[in-house]
Amino acid sequence: MVYTPFPSIRAGRPPTPSALREAIELHLKYDLAKQPSNATLRDWWYATCLVTRDLMVERRLETFQTQEYHRARRVYYLSMEYLMGRLLLHNLACLGITEECRQALQELGLELERIAEVEREMGLGNGGLGRLASCILDSLATLDYPAVGYGILYQFGLFHQEIVQGYQVERPDEWRELGHPWEISRPELAQKVSLYGELKRSGLPTDPAQWIATTEVVGIPVDILLPGYGTQTVNFLRLWMSRSSRELDLEAFNRGGYFEAVREKTFCESISKVLYPNDKTEAGKELRLVQQYFFVACSLRDILRRFWRENTRWEDFPKKVVIHLNDTHPSLAIVELMRILVDEQELPWDRAWELVSETFSYTNHTLMPEGLEKWPVPLLQKVLPRHLEILYALNHRLMEWAEKRFPGDGDKKTTLSLIEETTPKSVRMANLAVMASRTVNGVSRLHSELLRSRFFAPFAELWPDKFTSVTNGISPRTFLLMANPRLAGLLNRAVGGEWVRDLEKLRGLEELAEDSGFQAAYLAVKEANKVELSNWLLQRGLGSVDPHSLFDVQAKRIHEYKRQHLNLLRIVALYLVLRERPQLNVPPRVFVFAGKAAPGYDVAKRIIKAIHAVAARVNSDPVVKNKLQVLFVPNYSVDVACRLIAAADLSEQISTAGTEASGTGNMKFALNGALTIGTLDGANVEIREEVGEENFFSFGHTVEELQELRRKGYQPKEWYEKDPLLRRAIDWLFSQECLGNESPQALEPLRKALFEEGDRFFVLADFRPYWERQQEVDVAFFNRRRWAKMAILNTARMGRFSSDRVAREYATRLWRLSPLACANREKR
Ligand code: 26Q
């Protein structure tokens, strides 16, 4: 480094705006070889990020020394996905220098917010699971927990969604195109991983074996620093990038032949190339399996390297290391650790199992059978032959335990088994994760209950104490402070600024809920956010909306179980009613949809098409002008989410009861003062409990009622026939009047799902209760003071859904981890 960045920082004081300005100019000069006169917005952004990074590095080094000195017990959070969003404003806020930086840029004639918008967000995840991982890492750092996140540095993140003639079109997400100043590459910590090949062995499967692999891949770690908010702690996320091991080895090129070597190089680089754009499992894709093993094997080697720097005996391993599995995607780590211990370290099998089974914890994120990962045995045999053998050996033990506990009960054993007896056979990763983990948790109370009583029932009989629940949460930094600066400012004035680190502090708002001055200020914030969103929509050519309308938002992945089409059917019904009775007194509403469909999920894509077809008709019909508008915001992302969350009046959380494990969007909207219309599903149940049922619009069949409907043989056709409004809405949606010039086949797959395929998600059964509840929403919205009170009470009572509470629960109850702040460090 050619300059001494900030002597003042080391003394623990924040840098002055002029010190920051100077540092930005130095980075502009020495890292980008630019002068202020020829610097682009991108250059200024890059330089500002580098200065911010310098400041985080100071704290990172302190954190590292503290954790190493104390030989801290750490949690290693393994996740295939992280949805970090843009980082500049977040990192500045964590460091507490947002205003100083704003002023520094102002002195340079620049505006902070404009600079921050240059950043391409890190979209290395599909949705809820990836964003939850990011929120939890944010909270772990904020609470000073020693934690490292591991994942994959996908060269292409989740695809960009464009809409062409109402259809989703996917484009590559080249998020590193402008460079990525947050990355710190660590080639010296590269790891080598083996794949394919064959086994050489003499003894039993539980004896050490030799795996002669034919392909070797190198993982190069790239770190992203993760500052806590208002603390010295800076943790990090370590993302692996795959490269060929022969890259630097000219000999190998000659040995293997030129063509073969290039082919292998291409294969190796393809491993971290692209994020799979599905949020449910897709059967048996080899590259996905290779991705999982690659990232898990690199991470484990890195964990072991760190362990041996600070420790000397295996028996300390479970005392110092907790490995958390974010769903089953990283569950090969269990098998890989067994392999390392047995084959490479030559520990006896039972001793290895002791260590392994004290190390892992596992979070399940899905209830749907098709969401549970299974790998075909022949694929494992090909890619990871030794791991398959270890899996069979583990299953042998599992079946012994099962026989002991349930003698002669073949059915129990069949459901417990790691191996599913299909053709070909496959390995059930969830069963492996449950078997090997000290704790297994669901992500909401309802979800955890259903896991225990249905999906993992025999496991819960075998190991009742393993199962627990940690209801999800969201980061107050990302989803209030950053997403909604106006509301954040109002809250600071009302209850002080402590809520950013302690969301329960918002309880203090309860006493203001009926204060007309505060209500007015609160409504004014919402109004201003709606104006801002309207302008943004207009700029993007997405339509012109009246900010006085009720903003009704459903933003999340497009899925049949999330039932965007239930929302759409209600819109159609309302449209038909309004056409007949244009004078009907309903508040003007803007219906906003946003979300991506998995590229291979046809019905979901037809739902997007249906939304656009309805929007085209409704928005151009003068009869409902100023009453009803339908918008689809393309390319849903963390950035778009924040804009919608700040502006929403009503949050649609309408999944079929028993299908949404938790939901976290529900929390983001409610915290920002949108009222929820929602089913009794996932965390909705707990949100309703916290905010009070009088401040929550619940509707729809419960899990038990649906069970009963199923038992009696649910016939969507009957529901269609007995409800004239529903019938009209459905008939119109699938009519040529709605489709316009489109082929009559355009929505056929959607219609089939509702009728021929039996409406798996009970859209028709829940239509009427949904319709009726929405009428109550209209009434409530007319009464501005009542609405304000309800919204304020939502904000006031969402404290429990902070990811800080989540991190603390995981740390204390599952991981037995203690905070370790930098100041705690004694002299060596
Ligand atoms: C697995 C194998 C192959 C390809 C893809 C996948 C895959 C990828 C992502 C499977 C599932 C996911 C993501 C699931 C997810 O986001 N689940 C959501 O997790 C949230 C956080 O716990 C919950 O709030 C949501 O209810 C749940 O749907």
Side-chain angles (χ1 to χ4, degrees), residues 564-583:
Q564 281 90 355
H565 48 329
L566 173 59
N567 187 350
L568 193 64
L569 277 174
R570 216 242 5 147
I571 295 170
V572 169
L574 177 63
Y575 171 61
L576 297 176
V577 169
L578 279 174
R579 266 201 330 197
E580 268 171 15
R581 301 170 54 199
Q583 297 317 316

Side-chain angles (χ1 to χ4, degrees), residues 369 372-377 392 395 414-429 431:
L372 296 177
E373 269 194 302
K374 286 167 200 151
W375 288 111
V377 163
Y392 271 114
N395 195 44
T414 309
T415 46
L416 286 166
S417 176
L418 302 186
I419 311 297
E420 190 166 271
E421 302 289 332
T422 41
T423 21
K425 292 183 180 156
S426 52
V427 178
R428 300 161 167 159
M429 303 312 275
N431 294 29

Side-chain angles (χ1 to χ4, degrees), residues 81 126-130 132 276 278-282 288 292 327 329 363-366 371 373 375 443 472 561-562 659-664:
E81 306 195 2
N126 274 287
L129 167 143
L132 181 76
Y276 273 85
N278 309 309
D279 58 353
K280 59 175 196 271
T281 60
E282 215 182 343
R288 171 82 182 183
Q292 292 187 349
D327 217 300
H329 317 155
T363 299
N364 175 288
H365 297 266
T366 184
E373 269 194 302
W375 288 111
V443 288
N472 281 166
Y561 85 80
K562 295 179 189 278
T659 61
E660 188 71 274
S662 158
T664 45

